[in-house]
């Protein structure tokens, strides 16, 4: 059917809303209705035999002089013993054929027939009219919210034209729609609904009709063609279409809205890439089902992140001849699905999905840095998530108190911070055997284990992780180098630990308890000062580790004892002033009010 | 500007009233009915009786909701459609309200309305009878278990009960055959007649001729009489238009039907 006619029909339905109300009602009434089969009684061999041989045409086998099986019969029933019943049952199968003897009936459910209202020859609505009404029905919902959505040559018009073009390509002109055509309607309907929703929320959206056509076509057509023949599989695909295609189509169009510059011009790659990712989402859900740990929401979260990458870097999803586009995108979902399925709590569920999305987004944004063919970028991104969750899970297990320090959003933010930084500096994970990346994670996770007094909050750890990642990116092989003999032995971890140790020690000193300033924000700043000061000079840090601890302890004691004169600002200034000479090999001066004031004045 | 705002308000009111219209709710009711039915079938197949009962409970609720919605509807064709959903759901829930829901729907199926909703009205005509057949089958299963478990010399005490099951099946079949002509002449989709005929054929050829007669014989009841009744039913089936394609116990044509010996 001419797409222009479909489009015109839909517009007419919308314009004639009141008039078509009756038609919409009729459309709903005329849809398929189920008429179940009646149940069959449970099968009983004796009763069956009695029924079978009392049929007039079968009775001569058991009654009369020439009756072949008379010995088993005691008119009007089989002799009530097992031998006679079995003999006549075998005879019945021989006479009537197995089709007449369904021993499983009663257990097997009957079928049902889906029946339309009208004889096609007398139907008041053609199949095409029903499709048009269906589309008009969807569109009317959005016209209610945004009456101007279909005015002029706006996006609403373009979307309906694109929808009509796709349907006219897929559906046969004679209106004889089969299973695949019905599935196509279901999928394109999801796109139309999602499109109108997106357009009503993004008035500034600029899209061309051709681009919309390409997006819908590249997402829907391959799925329609791949629809399995098995009824069970078709039911499953239908369920998945209902569960995820609406939100997926909405996410795809929102991606178009967010990356408008990528979708302008004549290059259709972004649309084809989005189509490839959409297909992959569906096929992953249909292939592996919606797993326990990967709910539709989880899959859609991954999908949104993958769309962002596809919009910016469509070529990544369009295959290279060796790996067709749909297979590549599906591999991506599959790898992340595996990682998420195996993620331990609290990194499963919402947190895991957010981290996976962050990894995909972070790597996608820096894809030019991931060009190593032997280490595919999607594999790297999945491994980053797996590695991060394992490390932090270990830290949380070792220091049970930490569980209360981090909220879900802080855990996500912590992961996102580290993942973003590492993606900007892939040298941390590529070519160096993951050493720098592992070093950062080890440092932060090990230090977190040490904070048994919970002197730092989740936000504090976030800031420390940011700085650690930055410094590791700048000087990857110094402060965060792993000791092959002892993988937990990372200098940055030791530095953070000595500061934490000193801070913890003063809390256990009764007379100074309550007077210390080294906790929370001040402690966080102290750790950051140490990390920044030592990242370029790890040798000095290694040599003077004990002195750093002593300096921290002395300063703690001094400020706590003189808490009326000195506070956290003074603590941090004195620490900064004294740390540099210490790293140069100079001693720690005795701290008195006089020396402290001199240092503070000199430093100002 | 004021005109534009009024125009927008009018459109919003109009479309909101449309979005709350029957089209959506009826579609939901239909989809729920189909989903519950298949869930019940699956539970039966998997012998998951807990799930089966749970689905039957949902079907019962759907029947109540659909009947209430039918009462609220202003459009008579929508009312009929909701009663069709209500009676089908009640049937599958094993709920006796199937009769009252179907009756309420049938009252609305005047000649004029029958032509405007032929499938829905057609289904309302036969659903209570099919529900009655299923109810009889439940009784049949219980009775069959009792009769076959009883010693041979005690089975005759069940003869009357087995003849009652036969009589109930026969009454159901007679009623369905009476409605068949109306269905055949309606503008309903041909699938309706085919589905009704399949059920009718199964009732005649399996439930009545094999199972019910077999149970009477097992209980040493009046088999000869039952066999003659079956013959009469086959004659009625031919007269109503049923044929061998739906009822494989029927001969190719009515003239090939042979009256059993001893039948009046």
């Amino acid at each position: 059917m001419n797409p222009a006619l479909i489009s015109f029909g839909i517009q007419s339905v919308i314009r004639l809303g009141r008039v078509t109300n009756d038609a919409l009602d009729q459309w709903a009434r005329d849809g398929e209705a189920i008429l179940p089969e009646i149940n069959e009684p449970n099968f009983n061999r004796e009763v069956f035999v009695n029924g079978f041989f009392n049929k007039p045409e079968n009775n001569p086998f058991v009654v009369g002089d020439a009756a072949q099986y008379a010995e088993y019969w005691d008119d009007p029933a089989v002799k009530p013993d097992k031998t006679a019943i079995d003999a006549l049952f075998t005879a019945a199968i021989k006479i009537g054929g197995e089709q007449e003897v369904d021993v499983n009936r009663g257990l097997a459910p009957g079928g049902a027939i889906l029946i339309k209202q009208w004889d096609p020859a007398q139907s008041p609505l053609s199949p095409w009219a029903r499709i048009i009404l269906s589309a008009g029905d969807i569109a009317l919902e959005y016209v209610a919210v945004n009456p101007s959505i279909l005015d002029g040559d706006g996006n609403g018009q373009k979307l309906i034209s694109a929808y009509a073009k796709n349907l006219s390509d897929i559906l046969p002109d004679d209106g004889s729609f089969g299973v695949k055509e019905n599935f196509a309607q279901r999928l394109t309907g999801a796109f139309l609904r999602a499109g109108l929703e997106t357009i009503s929320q993004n008035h500034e959206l600029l899209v061309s009709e051709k681009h919309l056509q390409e997006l819908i076509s590249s997402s829907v057509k391959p799925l329609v063609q791949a629809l399995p023949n098995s009824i069970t599989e078709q039911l499953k695909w239908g369920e998945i279409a209902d569960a995820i295609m609406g939100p997926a189509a909405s996410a795809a169009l929102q991606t178009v809205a967010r990356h408008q510059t990528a979708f302008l011009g004549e290059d259709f790659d972004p649309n084809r890439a989005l189509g490839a990712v959409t297909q992959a989402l569906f096929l992953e859900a249909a292939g592996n089902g919606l797993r326990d740990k990967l709910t539709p929401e989880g899959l859609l979260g991954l999908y949104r992140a993958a769309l962002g990458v596809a919009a910016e870097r469509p070529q990544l999803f369009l295959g290279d001849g060796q790996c067709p586009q749909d297979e590549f995108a599906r591999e991506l979902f599959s790898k992340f699905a595996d990682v998420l399925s195996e993620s331990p709590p609290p990194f499963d569920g919402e947190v895991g999905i957010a981290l996976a999305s962050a990894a995909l987004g972070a790597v996608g944004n820096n894809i030019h840095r991931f060009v190593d063919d032997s280490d595919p970028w999607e594999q790297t991104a999945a491994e980053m998530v797996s590695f991060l969750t394992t490390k932090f899970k270990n830290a949380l297990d070792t220091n049970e108190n930490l569980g209360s320090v981090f909220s879900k959003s802080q855990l996500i933010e912590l992961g996102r911070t580290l993942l973003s930084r590492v993606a900007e500096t892939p040298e941390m994970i590529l070519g160096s055997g993951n050493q720098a990346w592992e070093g950062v994670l080890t440092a932060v996770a090990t230090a977190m284990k040490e904070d048994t007094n919970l002197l730092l909050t989740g936000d504090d750890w976030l800031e420390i992780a940011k700085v650690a990642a930055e410094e590791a990116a700048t000087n990857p092989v110094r402060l965060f180098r792993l000791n092959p003999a002892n993988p937990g032995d990372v200098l940055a971890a030791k530095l953070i630990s000595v500061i934490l140790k000193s801070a913890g020690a003063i809390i256990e000193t009764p007379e100074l308890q309550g007077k210390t300033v080294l906790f929370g924000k001040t402690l966080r700043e102290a750790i950051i000062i140490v990390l920044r000061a030592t990242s370029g000079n790890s040798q000095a840090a290694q040599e003077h580790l004990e002195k750093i601890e002593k300096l921290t302890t002395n300063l703690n004691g001094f400020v706590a004892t003189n808490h009326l004169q000195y506070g956290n600002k003074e603590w941090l200034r004195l620490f900064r002033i004294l740390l540099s000479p210490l790293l140069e090999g100079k001693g720690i001066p005795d701290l008195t009010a006089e020396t402290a004031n001199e240092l503070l004045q000199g430093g100002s | 500007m004021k005109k534009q705002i009024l125009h927008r308000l009018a459109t919003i009111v109009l479309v909101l009233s449309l979005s709350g219209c029957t089209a959506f709710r009826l579609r939901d009711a239909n989809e729920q009915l189909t989903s519950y039915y298949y869930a019940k079938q699956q539970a039966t197949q998997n012998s998951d009786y807990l799930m089966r009962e749970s689905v039957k409970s949902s079907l019962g609720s759907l029947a109540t909701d659909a009947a209430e919605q039918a009462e609220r509807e202003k459009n008579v064709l929508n009312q009929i459609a909701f009663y069709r959903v209500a009676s089908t759901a009640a049937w599958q829930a094993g709920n006796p309200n199937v009769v009252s829901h179907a009756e309420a729907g049938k009252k609305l199926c005047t000649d004029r309305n029958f032509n405007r909703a032929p499938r829905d009205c057609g289904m309302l005509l036969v659903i209570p009878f099919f529900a009655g057949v299923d109810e009889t089958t439940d009784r049949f299963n219980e009775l069959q278990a009792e009769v076959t478990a009883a010693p041979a010399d005690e089975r005759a005490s069940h003869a009357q009960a087995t003849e009652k099951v036969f009589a109930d099946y026969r009454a159901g079949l007679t009623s369905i055959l009476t409605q068949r002509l109306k269905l055949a002449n309606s503008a309903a989709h041909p699938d309706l007649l085919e589905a009704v005929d399949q059920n009718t054929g199964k009732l005649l050829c399996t439930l009545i001729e094999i199972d019910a007669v077999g149970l009477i014989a097992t209980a040493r009841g009046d088999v000869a009489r039952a066999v003659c009744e079956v013959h009469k039913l086959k004659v009625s089936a031919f007269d109503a238009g049923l044929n061998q394609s739906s009822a494989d116990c029927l001969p190719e044509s009515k003239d090939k039907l042979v009256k059993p010996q001893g039948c009046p």
Side-chain angles (χ1 to χ4, degrees), chain A residues 242-536:
Chain A
D242 290 345
I244 62 174
M245 273 316 272
S250 183
L253 287 155
Q254 278 165 13
T255 304
V256 174
R258 272 200 307 273
H259 299 82
Q260 291 193 27
T261 49
F263 291 88
L264 295 172
E266 287 303 308
D267 185 2
F268 286 4
D269 277 359
N271 296 293
R272 287 200 291 123
L274 260 57
V277 179
T278 308
Q279 280 174 56
L281 165 82
F282 193 95
L283 293 172
E284 172 63 20
N288 292 326
L290 297 167
R291 309 176 194 188
D292 285 348
K293 288 191 177 178
L294 198 58
T295 56
E297 293 73 27
L299 205 51
L300 286 165
L302 270 182
Y303 170 70
R304 282 191 197 93
L307 285 180
V309 182
E312 292 290 343
R313 304 270 165 187
Q315 64 277 16
L316 293 174
F317 290 84
L318 294 179
D320 55 7
Q322 292 178 329
C323 182
Q325 59 191 48
D326 54 338
E327 280 182 26
F328 171 78
R330 197 169 167 200
E331 274 281 288
L332 183 144
F333 278 105
S334 181
K335 280 172 184 155
F336 271 96
D338 287 345
V339 167
L340 289 176
S341 300
E342 287 159 17
S343 289
F347 297 99
D348 54 349
E350 187 190 337
V351 176
I353 291 154
L355 290 179
S357 302
L360 260 182
V363 174
N365 286 337
N366 296 279
I367 201 69
H368 53 288
R369 299 188 166 102
F370 292 79
V371 289
D372 184 358
D373 284 346
S374 63
D375 221 349
W377 67 271
E378 77 283 2
Q379 177 75 32
T380 307
E383 283 171 1
M384 279 162 61
V385 175
S386 174
F387 195 63
L388 178 111
T389 54
T390 310
K391 276 280 170 195
F392 279 107
K393 166 68 179 160
N394 182 262
L396 292 177
D397 282 351
T398 310
N399 183 355
E400 286 180 2
N401 296 333
L402 275 179
S404 61
V405 169
F406 287 96
S407 64
K408 271 188 183 175
S409 60
Q410 283 170 329
L411 276 177
I412 293 168
E413 197 48 42
L414 181 65
R416 198 194 307 275
T417 300
L418 292 165
L419 290 165
S420 301
R421 172 51 75 183
V422 81
E424 285 167 13
T425 321
E427 296 76 23
M428 288 171 76
I429 46 172
L430 301 175
S432 63
N434 255 351
Q435 277 204 5
W437 168 235
E438 189 166 355
V440 173
L441 290 185
T442 305
V444 177
T446 307
M448 282 163 62
K449 289 184 206 169
E450 299 289 328
D451 185 18
T452 49
N453 292 314
L454 302 184
L455 299 171
L456 292 167
T457 64
D459 283 337
D460 294 328
W461 281 114
L462 256 174
E463 291 301 316
I464 292 167
K466 269 186 204 168
V467 174
E470 272 173 28
E471 295 302 329
T474 317
N475 295 299
V477 292
R478 294 187 179 176
L479 213 50
F480 299 91
R481 183 167 49 193
L482 290 170
N483 177 355
N486 181 6
D489 185 14
V490 179
L491 183 55
K494 287 183 185 168
L495 284 165
I496 301 172
S497 295
V498 296
I499 310 276
L500 283 170
K501 198 171 151 192
S502 296
I506 198 164
I507 283 179
E508 284 159 20
T509 310
E511 64 272 22
L512 296 179
Q513 208 174 35
K515 295 172 186 167
T516 180
V517 294
L518 195 59
F519 60 87
K521 199 175 170 186
T522 311
L523 178 57
R524 175 182 87 195
E525 287 304 311
I527 292 169
I528 289 172
I529 289 168
V530 169
L531 288 176
R532 289 204 193 286
T534 55
S535 74

Side-chain angles (χ1 to χ4, degrees), chain B residues 19-60:
Chain B
S19 65
C21 72
T22 309
F24 304 106
R25 291 196 299 268
L26 182 57
R27 197 164 50 189
D28 292 344
N30 269 327
E31 284 176 3
Q32 274 184 39
L33 177 62
T34 308
S35 304
Y36 290 152
Y37 176 76
Y38 285 119
K40 184 183 153 197
Q41 298 301 85
Q42 197 169 17
T44 304
Q45 199 157 24
N46 297 339
S47 301
D48 186 343
Y49 297 109
L50 203 63
M51 172 62 79
R52 193 167 188 273
E53 289 312 304
S54 164
V55 176
K56 280 175 79 173
S57 166
S58 300
L59 281 162

Side-chain angles (χ1 to χ4, degrees), chain B residues 1-263:
Chain B
M1 184 66 186
K2 193 178 170 187
K3 197 178 168 188
Q4 197 179 6
I5 292 170
L6 280 173
H7 173 74
R8 286 192 172 195
L9 273 174
T11 311
I12 290 168
V13 169
L14 164 66
V15 181
L16 281 178
S17 69
L18 284 179
S19 65
C21 72
T22 309
F24 304 106
R25 291 196 299 268
L26 182 57
R27 197 164 50 189
D28 292 344
N30 269 327
E31 284 176 3
Q32 274 184 39
L33 177 62
T34 308
S35 304
Y36 290 152
Y37 176 76
Y38 285 119
K40 184 183 153 197
Q41 298 301 85
Q42 197 169 17
T44 304
Q45 199 157 24
N46 297 339
S47 301
D48 186 343
Y49 297 109
L50 203 63
M51 172 62 79
R52 193 167 188 273
E53 289 312 304
S54 164
V55 176
K56 280 175 79 173
S57 166
S58 300
L59 281 162
S61 303
L62 174 61
T64 307
D65 294 346
E68 284 173 3
Q69 183 58 36
E71 285 170 22
R72 283 195 288 269
E73 282 296 329
K74 289 177 183 155
N75 179 319
V76 68
L77 300 181
N78 291 339
Q79 282 185 296
I80 292 170
F82 273 111
Y83 280 126
R84 188 255 307 152
V85 172
S87 55
T88 312
W91 166 20
Q92 290 305 305
N95 184 329
N97 286 336
V98 59
V99 178
S100 59
H101 295 330
E103 283 304 315
K106 275 195 283 183
K107 271 185 197 162
L108 303 171
C109 287
T110 57
D111 286 347
R112 181 168 180 266
N113 290 338
F114 203 109
N115 290 329
R116 294 162 74 202
R119 179 211 48 205
D120 288 343
C121 283
M123 283 173 68
L124 285 166
L125 286 181
V126 291
I127 281 172
F129 301 125
F130 288 144
V133 169
D134 276 353
E135 188 187 58
T136 305
T137 298
D138 288 342
R139 272 197 292 124
F140 175 96
N141 285 333
E142 288 170 18
L143 193 57
Q144 177 175 254
E146 285 174 28
V147 172
T148 52
D153 57 347
E154 290 177 18
R155 290 180 172 183
S157 64
H158 296 289
Q160 205 174 356
T162 62
E163 285 162 11
K164 172 79 169 65
V165 165
F166 179 93
D168 288 347
Y169 275 149
R170 184 189 57 199
L173 179 67
T174 306
S175 303
I176 294 162
L177 290 174
T178 308
Q179 304 299 338
R180 192 184 179 281
L181 194 62
K182 192 164 187 180
L183 297 182
N185 291 333
S186 79
H189 196 284
D191 284 350
L192 174 63
L193 192 63
E194 192 183 321
V196 170
D197 281 353
Q198 273 183 15
N199 274 344
T200 312
K202 191 194 282 187
L203 174 59
L204 172 62
C205 299
T206 303
L207 277 65
I208 293 179
E209 187 168 30
I210 297 286
D211 293 303
V213 172
L215 191 60
I216 290 173
T218 309
R220 297 295 192 271
D222 191 346
V223 178
R225 187 176 163 194
V227 169
C228 290
E229 292 290 346
V230 170
H231 174 73
K232 281 189 206 166
L233 287 172
K234 286 182 179 176
V235 173
S236 303
F238 266 119
D239 291 344
L242 203 68
N243 59 42
Q244 199 179 39
S245 67
S246 310
D248 56 10
C249 59
L250 293 178
E252 283 172 16
S253 57
K254 189 181 172 186
D255 56 0
K256 290 186 178 166
L257 200 57
V258 180
K259 188 190 279 190
Q261 281 185 341
C263 291

